[in-house]
mmCIF file of all heavy atoms in Angstrom:
data_model
loop_
_atom_site.group_PDB
_atom_site.id
_atom_site.type_symbol
_atom_site.label_atom_id
_atom_site.label_comp_id
_atom_site.label_asym_id
_atom_site.label_seq_id
_atom_site.Cartn_x
_atom_site.Cartn_y
_atom_site.Cartn_z
ATOM 1 N N ASN A 1 -7.337 -15.227 -5.343
ATOM 2 C CA ASN A 1 -7.165 -15.859 -4.034
ATOM 3 C C ASN A 1 -7.681 -14.920 -2.951
ATOM 4 O O ASN A 1 -6.922 -14.179 -2.343
ATOM 5 C CB ASN A 1 -5.699 -16.207 -3.794
ATOM 6 C CG ASN A 1 -5.489 -17.039 -2.549
ATOM 7 O OD1 ASN A 1 -6.374 -17.159 -1.704
ATOM 8 N ND2 ASN A 1 -4.302 -17.603 -2.426
ATOM 9 N N SER A 2 -8.984 -14.965 -2.694
ATOM 10 C CA SER A 2 -9.614 -14.015 -1.772
ATOM 11 C C SER A 2 -9.116 -14.167 -0.329
ATOM 12 O O SER A 2 -9.357 -13.292 0.491
ATOM 13 C CB SER A 2 -11.133 -14.166 -1.817
ATOM 14 O OG SER A 2 -11.510 -15.464 -1.413
ATOM 15 N N LYS A 3 -8.411 -15.245 -0.022
ATOM 16 C CA LYS A 3 -7.887 -15.433 1.335
ATOM 17 C C LYS A 3 -6.457 -14.925 1.490
ATOM 18 O O LYS A 3 -5.842 -15.093 2.542
ATOM 19 C CB LYS A 3 -7.968 -16.903 1.714
ATOM 20 C CG LYS A 3 -9.391 -17.400 1.774
ATOM 21 C CD LYS A 3 -9.478 -18.824 2.221
ATOM 22 C CE LYS A 3 -10.968 -19.192 2.247
ATOM 23 N NZ LYS A 3 -11.223 -20.485 2.805
ATOM 24 N N ALA A 4 -5.932 -14.289 0.468
ATOM 25 C CA ALA A 4 -4.527 -13.876 0.468
ATOM 26 C C ALA A 4 -4.308 -12.411 0.837
ATOM 27 O O ALA A 4 -3.294 -11.822 0.455
ATOM 28 C CB ALA A 4 -3.914 -14.165 -0.889
ATOM 29 N N CYS A 5 -5.223 -11.820 1.606
ATOM 30 C CA CYS A 5 -5.100 -10.390 1.939
ATOM 31 C C CYS A 5 -3.763 -10.051 2.600
ATOM 32 O O CYS A 5 -3.116 -9.072 2.251
ATOM 33 C CB CYS A 5 -6.240 -9.946 2.844
ATOM 34 S SG CYS A 5 -7.837 -10.012 2.034
ATOM 35 N N ARG A 6 -3.375 -10.844 3.580
ATOM 36 C CA ARG A 6 -2.094 -10.578 4.269
ATOM 37 C C ARG A 6 -0.907 -10.751 3.325
ATOM 38 O O ARG A 6 0.051 -9.993 3.378
ATOM 39 C CB ARG A 6 -1.945 -11.477 5.486
ATOM 40 C CG ARG A 6 -2.856 -11.082 6.619
ATOM 41 C CD ARG A 6 -2.650 -11.999 7.820
ATOM 42 N NE ARG A 6 -3.668 -11.786 8.809
ATOM 43 C CZ ARG A 6 -3.492 -11.069 9.901
ATOM 44 N NH1 ARG A 6 -2.346 -10.510 10.148
ATOM 45 N NH2 ARG A 6 -4.487 -10.925 10.757
ATOM 46 N N ALA A 7 -0.974 -11.765 2.478
ATOM 47 C CA ALA A 7 0.102 -11.989 1.511
ATOM 48 C C ALA A 7 0.176 -10.836 0.510
ATOM 49 O O ALA A 7 1.265 -10.436 0.092
ATOM 50 C CB ALA A 7 -0.095 -13.325 0.794
ATOM 51 N N VAL A 8 -0.981 -10.294 0.142
ATOM 52 C CA VAL A 8 -1.003 -9.109 -0.727
ATOM 53 C C VAL A 8 -0.304 -7.953 -0.006
ATOM 54 O O VAL A 8 0.490 -7.231 -0.604
ATOM 55 C CB VAL A 8 -2.444 -8.730 -1.122
ATOM 56 C CG1 VAL A 8 -2.501 -7.333 -1.741
ATOM 57 C CG2 VAL A 8 -3.017 -9.764 -2.078
ATOM 58 N N GLY A 9 -0.580 -7.800 1.280
ATOM 59 C CA GLY A 9 0.082 -6.763 2.065
ATOM 60 C C GLY A 9 1.590 -6.931 2.077
ATOM 61 O O GLY A 9 2.336 -5.964 1.938
ATOM 62 N N MET A 10 2.050 -8.165 2.219
ATOM 63 C CA MET A 10 3.499 -8.420 2.213
ATOM 64 C C MET A 10 4.096 -8.156 0.829
ATOM 65 O O MET A 10 5.205 -7.629 0.720
ATOM 66 C CB MET A 10 3.799 -9.855 2.657
ATOM 67 C CG MET A 10 3.671 -10.066 4.146
ATOM 68 S SD MET A 10 4.640 -8.890 5.152
ATOM 69 C CE MET A 10 6.307 -9.256 4.617
ATOM 70 N N ALA A 11 3.381 -8.509 -0.216
ATOM 71 C CA ALA A 11 3.870 -8.214 -1.563
ATOM 72 C C ALA A 11 3.980 -6.701 -1.759
ATOM 73 O O ALA A 11 4.962 -6.215 -2.321
ATOM 74 C CB ALA A 11 2.947 -8.825 -2.617
ATOM 75 N N ASN A 12 2.982 -5.966 -1.259
ATOM 76 C CA ASN A 12 3.060 -4.505 -1.327
ATOM 77 C C ASN A 12 4.289 -4.005 -0.591
ATOM 78 O O ASN A 12 5.014 -3.137 -1.077
ATOM 79 C CB ASN A 12 1.815 -3.864 -0.698
ATOM 80 C CG ASN A 12 0.685 -3.700 -1.671
ATOM 81 O OD1 ASN A 12 0.729 -4.200 -2.774
ATOM 82 N ND2 ASN A 12 -0.339 -3.003 -1.251
ATOM 83 N N HIS A 13 4.511 -4.556 0.601
ATOM 84 C CA HIS A 13 5.662 -4.162 1.419
ATOM 85 C C HIS A 13 6.979 -4.411 0.678
ATOM 86 O O HIS A 13 7.928 -3.646 0.834
ATOM 87 C CB HIS A 13 5.643 -4.926 2.744
ATOM 88 C CG HIS A 13 6.818 -4.650 3.610
ATOM 89 N ND1 HIS A 13 6.962 -3.472 4.308
ATOM 90 C CD2 HIS A 13 7.921 -5.391 3.871
ATOM 91 C CE1 HIS A 13 8.106 -3.507 4.966
ATOM 92 N NE2 HIS A 13 8.704 -4.656 4.722
ATOM 93 N N ASN A 14 7.022 -5.462 -0.128
ATOM 94 C CA ASN A 14 8.249 -5.823 -0.847
ATOM 95 C C ASN A 14 8.359 -5.189 -2.227
ATOM 96 O O ASN A 14 9.295 -5.487 -2.965
ATOM 97 C CB ASN A 14 8.356 -7.344 -0.952
ATOM 98 C CG ASN A 14 8.627 -7.976 0.394
ATOM 99 O OD1 ASN A 14 9.462 -7.505 1.147
ATOM 100 N ND2 ASN A 14 7.915 -9.038 0.718
ATOM 101 N N ASN A 15 7.433 -4.325 -2.572
ATOM 102 C CA ASN A 15 7.484 -3.606 -3.842
ATOM 103 C C ASN A 15 8.693 -2.680 -3.828
ATOM 104 O O ASN A 15 8.773 -1.767 -3.010
ATOM 105 C CB ASN A 15 6.187 -2.809 -4.029
ATOM 106 C CG ASN A 15 6.226 -1.910 -5.238
ATOM 107 O OD1 ASN A 15 7.043 -2.062 -6.134
ATOM 108 N ND2 ASN A 15 5.324 -0.938 -5.252
ATOM 109 N N LYS A 16 9.617 -2.878 -4.747
ATOM 110 C CA LYS A 16 10.838 -2.072 -4.795
ATOM 111 C C LYS A 16 10.700 -0.827 -5.668
ATOM 112 O O LYS A 16 11.603 -0.011 -5.714
ATOM 113 C CB LYS A 16 12.000 -2.923 -5.320
ATOM 114 C CG LYS A 16 12.390 -4.035 -4.394
ATOM 115 C CD LYS A 16 13.528 -4.831 -4.985
ATOM 116 C CE LYS A 16 13.869 -5.986 -4.074
ATOM 117 N NZ LYS A 16 14.833 -6.887 -4.677
ATOM 118 N N ILE A 17 9.572 -0.720 -6.373
ATOM 119 C CA ILE A 17 9.435 0.401 -7.322
ATOM 120 C C ILE A 17 8.214 1.231 -6.927
ATOM 121 O O ILE A 17 7.194 1.253 -7.625
ATOM 122 C CB ILE A 17 9.349 -0.111 -8.774
ATOM 123 C CG1 ILE A 17 10.486 -1.093 -9.082
ATOM 124 C CG2 ILE A 17 9.394 1.074 -9.743
ATOM 125 C CD1 ILE A 17 10.408 -1.752 -10.443
ATOM 126 N N MET A 18 8.322 1.916 -5.787
ATOM 127 C CA MET A 18 7.197 2.711 -5.296
ATOM 128 C C MET A 18 6.766 3.749 -6.325
ATOM 129 O O MET A 18 7.548 4.152 -7.165
ATOM 130 C CB MET A 18 7.538 3.363 -3.950
ATOM 131 C CG MET A 18 8.621 4.416 -4.013
ATOM 132 S SD MET A 18 9.045 5.154 -2.422
ATOM 133 C CE MET A 18 7.605 6.123 -2.098
ATOM 134 N N ILE A 19 5.541 4.131 -6.255
ATOM 135 C CA ILE A 19 4.855 5.113 -7.099
ATOM 136 C C ILE A 19 4.594 4.553 -8.498
ATOM 137 O O ILE A 19 3.451 4.520 -8.937
ATOM 138 C CB ILE A 19 5.557 6.476 -7.159
ATOM 139 C CG1 ILE A 19 5.756 7.028 -5.731
ATOM 140 C CG2 ILE A 19 4.768 7.456 -8.023
ATOM 141 C CD1 ILE A 19 6.620 8.257 -5.663
ATOM 142 N N LEU A 20 5.645 4.095 -9.209
ATOM 143 C CA LEU A 20 5.415 3.555 -10.546
ATOM 144 C C LEU A 20 4.607 2.265 -10.472
ATOM 145 O O LEU A 20 3.759 2.016 -11.327
ATOM 146 C CB LEU A 20 6.736 3.310 -11.283
ATOM 147 C CG LEU A 20 7.648 4.517 -11.500
ATOM 148 C CD1 LEU A 20 8.790 4.159 -12.419
ATOM 149 C CD2 LEU A 20 6.907 5.728 -12.020
ATOM 150 N N ILE A 21 4.878 1.427 -9.481
ATOM 151 C CA ILE A 21 3.994 0.310 -9.144
ATOM 152 C C ILE A 21 3.220 0.819 -7.933
ATOM 153 O O ILE A 21 3.746 0.863 -6.825
ATOM 154 C CB ILE A 21 4.768 -0.982 -8.833
ATOM 155 C CG1 ILE A 21 5.583 -1.420 -10.049
ATOM 156 C CG2 ILE A 21 3.793 -2.091 -8.401
ATOM 157 C CD1 ILE A 21 6.439 -2.663 -9.832
ATOM 158 N N PRO A 22 1.989 1.276 -8.128
ATOM 159 C CA PRO A 22 1.302 2.124 -7.146
ATOM 160 C C PRO A 22 0.709 1.407 -5.932
ATOM 161 O O PRO A 22 -0.505 1.381 -5.729
ATOM 162 C CB PRO A 22 0.218 2.791 -7.986
ATOM 163 C CG PRO A 22 -0.104 1.767 -9.021
ATOM 164 C CD PRO A 22 1.204 1.089 -9.339
ATOM 165 N N CYS A 23 1.578 0.876 -5.084
ATOM 166 C CA CYS A 23 1.089 0.219 -3.867
ATOM 167 C C CYS A 23 0.454 1.234 -2.911
ATOM 168 O O CYS A 23 -0.320 0.849 -2.031
ATOM 169 C CB CYS A 23 2.200 -0.576 -3.194
ATOM 170 S SG CYS A 23 3.679 0.359 -2.810
ATOM 171 N N HIS A 24 0.720 2.516 -3.112
ATOM 172 C CA HIS A 24 0.084 3.542 -2.279
ATOM 173 C C HIS A 24 -1.423 3.614 -2.519
ATOM 174 O O HIS A 24 -2.155 4.147 -1.689
ATOM 175 C CB HIS A 24 0.731 4.920 -2.514
ATOM 176 C CG HIS A 24 0.576 5.441 -3.914
ATOM 177 N ND1 HIS A 24 1.407 5.036 -4.945
ATOM 178 C CD2 HIS A 24 -0.321 6.303 -4.451
ATOM 179 C CE1 HIS A 24 1.028 5.649 -6.059
ATOM 180 N NE2 HIS A 24 -0.010 6.428 -5.787
ATOM 181 N N ARG A 25 -1.899 3.044 -3.613
ATOM 182 C CA ARG A 25 -3.333 3.061 -3.933
ATOM 183 C C ARG A 25 -4.103 1.941 -3.247
ATOM 184 O O ARG A 25 -5.298 1.803 -3.461
ATOM 185 C CB ARG A 25 -3.529 2.980 -5.448
ATOM 186 C CG ARG A 25 -3.015 4.212 -6.183
ATOM 187 C CD ARG A 25 -3.206 4.115 -7.667
ATOM 188 N NE ARG A 25 -2.556 5.247 -8.329
ATOM 189 C CZ ARG A 25 -2.112 5.220 -9.577
ATOM 190 N NH1 ARG A 25 -2.261 4.136 -10.313
ATOM 191 N NH2 ARG A 25 -1.525 6.287 -10.087
ATOM 192 N N VAL A 26 -3.427 1.146 -2.429
ATOM 193 C CA VAL A 26 -4.089 0.052 -1.727
ATOM 194 C C VAL A 26 -4.325 0.485 -0.279
ATOM 195 O O VAL A 26 -3.391 0.887 0.426
ATOM 196 C CB VAL A 26 -3.266 -1.249 -1.781
ATOM 197 C CG1 VAL A 26 -4.015 -2.380 -1.087
ATOM 198 C CG2 VAL A 26 -2.965 -1.632 -3.235
ATOM 199 N N ILE A 27 -5.593 0.425 0.132
ATOM 200 C CA ILE A 27 -5.977 0.871 1.474
ATOM 201 C C ILE A 27 -6.721 -0.254 2.197
ATOM 202 O O ILE A 27 -7.062 -1.261 1.587
ATOM 203 C CB ILE A 27 -6.848 2.154 1.397
ATOM 204 C CG1 ILE A 27 -8.138 1.897 0.612
ATOM 205 C CG2 ILE A 27 -6.050 3.303 0.779
ATOM 206 C CD1 ILE A 27 -9.097 3.079 0.589
ATOM 207 N N GLY A 28 -6.963 -0.039 3.485
ATOM 208 C CA GLY A 28 -7.687 -1.033 4.273
ATOM 209 C C GLY A 28 -9.141 -1.146 3.847
ATOM 210 O O GLY A 28 -9.696 -0.232 3.230
ATOM 211 N N SER A 29 -9.766 -2.261 4.197
ATOM 212 C CA SER A 29 -11.157 -2.477 3.807
ATOM 213 C C SER A 29 -12.100 -1.473 4.454
ATOM 214 O O SER A 29 -13.201 -1.239 3.973
ATOM 215 C CB SER A 29 -11.597 -3.907 4.131
ATOM 216 O OG SER A 29 -11.414 -4.170 5.496
ATOM 217 N N ASN A 30 -11.629 -0.820 5.531
ATOM 218 C CA ASN A 30 -12.416 0.219 6.188
ATOM 219 C C ASN A 30 -12.161 1.598 5.577
ATOM 220 O O ASN A 30 -12.573 2.615 6.119
ATOM 221 C CB ASN A 30 -12.117 0.230 7.691
ATOM 222 C CG ASN A 30 -10.647 0.480 7.975
ATOM 223 O OD1 ASN A 30 -9.835 0.666 7.071
ATOM 224 N ND2 ASN A 30 -10.291 0.482 9.242
ATOM 225 N N LYS A 31 -11.457 1.618 4.441
ATOM 226 C CA LYS A 31 -11.105 2.840 3.688
ATOM 227 C C LYS A 31 -10.073 3.707 4.419
ATOM 228 O O LYS A 31 -9.882 4.862 4.075
ATOM 229 C CB LYS A 31 -12.344 3.693 3.344
ATOM 230 C CG LYS A 31 -13.389 2.950 2.554
ATOM 231 C CD LYS A 31 -12.884 2.565 1.185
ATOM 232 C CE LYS A 31 -13.994 1.886 0.388
ATOM 233 N NZ LYS A 31 -13.519 1.005 -0.631
ATOM 234 N N LYS A 32 -9.400 3.129 5.403
ATOM 235 C CA LYS A 32 -8.354 3.850 6.132
ATOM 236 C C LYS A 32 -6.989 3.529 5.534
ATOM 237 O O LYS A 32 -6.782 2.483 4.938
ATOM 238 C CB LYS A 32 -8.382 3.490 7.611
ATOM 239 C CG LYS A 32 -9.642 4.001 8.309
ATOM 240 C CD LYS A 32 -9.428 4.069 9.807
ATOM 241 C CE LYS A 32 -10.665 4.535 10.508
ATOM 242 N NZ LYS A 32 -10.898 5.933 10.457
ATOM 243 N N LEU A 33 -6.074 4.470 5.740
ATOM 244 C CA LEU A 33 -4.708 4.267 5.276
ATOM 245 C C LEU A 33 -4.005 3.311 6.227
ATOM 246 O O LEU A 33 -3.997 3.521 7.444
ATOM 247 C CB LEU A 33 -3.954 5.595 5.247
ATOM 248 C CG LEU A 33 -4.545 6.689 4.376
ATOM 249 C CD1 LEU A 33 -3.614 7.883 4.333
ATOM 250 C CD2 LEU A 33 -4.821 6.185 2.974
ATOM 251 N N VAL A 34 -3.427 2.280 5.670
ATOM 252 C CA VAL A 34 -2.666 1.323 6.462
ATOM 253 C C VAL A 34 -1.388 0.999 5.709
ATOM 254 O O VAL A 34 -1.355 1.013 4.483
ATOM 255 C CB VAL A 34 -3.456 0.014 6.730
ATOM 256 C CG1 VAL A 34 -4.643 0.278 7.637
ATOM 257 C CG2 VAL A 34 -3.932 -0.624 5.449
ATOM 258 N N GLY A 35 -0.337 0.767 6.456
ATOM 259 C CA GLY A 35 0.941 0.311 5.933
ATOM 260 C C GLY A 35 1.444 0.941 4.656
ATOM 261 O O GLY A 35 0.739 0.976 3.666
ATOM 262 N N TYR A 36 2.645 1.439 4.712
ATOM 263 C CA TYR A 36 3.340 1.924 3.528
ATOM 264 C C TYR A 36 4.811 2.033 3.879
ATOM 265 O O TYR A 36 5.164 2.668 4.880
ATOM 266 C CB TYR A 36 2.784 3.286 3.073
ATOM 267 C CG TYR A 36 3.293 3.719 1.723
ATOM 268 C CD1 TYR A 36 2.988 2.991 0.578
ATOM 269 C CD2 TYR A 36 4.083 4.844 1.577
ATOM 270 C CE1 TYR A 36 3.456 3.370 -0.676
ATOM 271 C CE2 TYR A 36 4.548 5.242 0.325
ATOM 272 C CZ TYR A 36 4.233 4.498 -0.792
ATOM 273 O OH TYR A 36 4.691 4.877 -2.027
ATOM 274 N N ALA A 37 5.658 1.414 3.074
ATOM 275 C CA ALA A 37 7.096 1.397 3.368
ATOM 276 C C ALA A 37 7.667 2.811 3.466
ATOM 277 O O ALA A 37 8.587 3.056 4.232
ATOM 278 C CB ALA A 37 7.841 0.585 2.312
ATOM 279 N N GLY A 38 7.110 3.742 2.718
ATOM 280 C CA GLY A 38 7.589 5.122 2.756
ATOM 281 C C GLY A 38 7.010 5.932 3.900
ATOM 282 O O GLY A 38 7.374 7.082 4.091
ATOM 283 N N GLY A 39 6.090 5.331 4.658
ATOM 284 C CA GLY A 39 5.437 6.031 5.757
ATOM 285 C C GLY A 39 4.026 6.443 5.368
ATOM 286 O O GLY A 39 3.769 6.796 4.210
ATOM 287 N N ILE A 40 3.130 6.400 6.338
ATOM 288 C CA ILE A 40 1.723 6.752 6.092
ATOM 289 C C ILE A 40 1.598 8.198 5.607
ATOM 290 O O ILE A 40 0.759 8.500 4.761
ATOM 291 C CB ILE A 40 0.871 6.525 7.370
ATOM 292 C CG1 ILE A 40 0.786 5.027 7.683
ATOM 293 C CG2 ILE A 40 -0.519 7.116 7.226
ATOM 294 C CD1 ILE A 40 0.018 4.207 6.672
ATOM 295 N N ASP A 41 2.438 9.092 6.123
ATOM 296 C CA ASP A 41 2.372 10.491 5.693
ATOM 297 C C ASP A 41 2.662 10.630 4.195
ATOM 298 O O ASP A 41 2.020 11.414 3.496
ATOM 299 C CB ASP A 41 3.316 11.370 6.522
ATOM 300 C CG ASP A 41 4.769 10.904 6.470
ATOM 301 O OD1 ASP A 41 5.029 9.685 6.383
ATOM 302 O OD2 ASP A 41 5.657 11.776 6.527
ATOM 303 N N VAL A 42 3.592 9.832 3.692
ATOM 304 C CA VAL A 42 3.904 9.867 2.258
ATOM 305 C C VAL A 42 2.751 9.265 1.453
ATOM 306 O O VAL A 42 2.347 9.812 0.427
ATOM 307 C CB VAL A 42 5.226 9.122 1.955
ATOM 308 C CG1 VAL A 42 5.457 8.992 0.454
ATOM 309 C CG2 VAL A 42 6.396 9.847 2.615
ATOM 310 N N LYS A 43 2.201 8.154 1.935
ATOM 311 C CA LYS A 43 1.053 7.538 1.264
ATOM 312 C C LYS A 43 -0.094 8.537 1.174
ATOM 313 O O LYS A 43 -0.722 8.689 0.120
ATOM 314 C CB LYS A 43 0.614 6.287 2.041
ATOM 315 C CG LYS A 43 -0.507 5.511 1.398
ATOM 316 C CD LYS A 43 -0.757 4.206 2.167
ATOM 317 C CE LYS A 43 -1.665 3.280 1.427
ATOM 318 N NZ LYS A 43 -1.682 1.924 1.972
ATOM 319 N N GLU A 44 -0.353 9.231 2.265
ATOM 320 C CA GLU A 44 -1.422 10.227 2.293
ATOM 321 C C GLU A 44 -1.160 11.325 1.265
ATOM 322 O O GLU A 44 -2.054 11.724 0.507
ATOM 323 C CB GLU A 44 -1.540 10.823 3.696
ATOM 324 C CG GLU A 44 -2.658 11.808 3.855
ATOM 325 C CD GLU A 44 -2.816 12.286 5.288
ATOM 326 O OE1 GLU A 44 -2.269 11.668 6.218
ATOM 327 O OE2 GLU A 44 -3.508 13.301 5.467
ATOM 328 N N LYS A 45 0.077 11.790 1.184
ATOM 329 C CA LYS A 45 0.423 12.858 0.240
ATOM 330 C C LYS A 45 0.233 12.384 -1.207
ATOM 331 O O LYS A 45 -0.312 13.115 -2.044
ATOM 332 C CB LYS A 45 1.863 13.308 0.465
ATOM 333 C CG LYS A 45 2.260 14.503 -0.379
ATOM 334 C CD LYS A 45 3.617 15.017 0.008
ATOM 335 C CE LYS A 45 3.401 16.239 0.850
ATOM 336 N NZ LYS A 45 4.619 16.900 1.275
ATOM 337 N N LEU A 46 0.649 11.160 -1.497
ATOM 338 C CA LEU A 46 0.489 10.629 -2.853
ATOM 339 C C LEU A 46 -0.982 10.497 -3.229
ATOM 340 O O LEU A 46 -1.384 10.848 -4.342
ATOM 341 C CB LEU A 46 1.204 9.283 -2.987
ATOM 342 C CG LEU A 46 2.719 9.312 -2.827
ATOM 343 C CD1 LEU A 46 3.292 7.903 -2.806
ATOM 344 C CD2 LEU A 46 3.383 10.153 -3.905
ATOM 345 N N LEU A 47 -1.785 10.018 -2.299
ATOM 346 C CA LEU A 47 -3.222 9.882 -2.567
ATOM 347 C C LEU A 47 -3.892 11.250 -2.703
ATOM 348 O O LEU A 47 -4.822 11.414 -3.494
ATOM 349 C CB LEU A 47 -3.891 9.044 -1.486
ATOM 350 C CG LEU A 47 -3.480 7.565 -1.468
ATOM 351 C CD1 LEU A 47 -4.098 6.847 -0.276
ATOM 352 C CD2 LEU A 47 -3.844 6.873 -2.767
#
């Protein structure tokens, strides 16, 4: 579903098992870090 980008973002946001389900590996189409329930600083550290 190529039109579901925002819904994918919400599913990432609702991921209850961070790191093991690696939502931190999902970045913006411009290759920038966007959104992470644990904070962008944590996402950056994990990456």
Side-chain angles (χ1 to χ4, degrees):
N1 188 346
S2 61
K3 296 183 180 187
C5 294
R6 288 181 190 259
V8 167
M10 284 307 298
N12 273 9
H13 177 75
N14 291 315
N15 173 17
K16 294 180 183 172
I17 310 174
M18 67 181 289
I19 305 171
L20 301 189
I21 299 178
C23 55
H24 63 278
R25 294 180 187 154
V26 182
I27 61 175
S29 57
N30 59 1
K31 303 295 183 205
K32 293 200 181 281
L33 301 186
V34 293
Y36 190 64
I40 292 293
D41 57 326
V42 172
K43 184 174 191 167
E44 183 175 345
K45 186 173 258 182
L46 296 173
L47 292 175

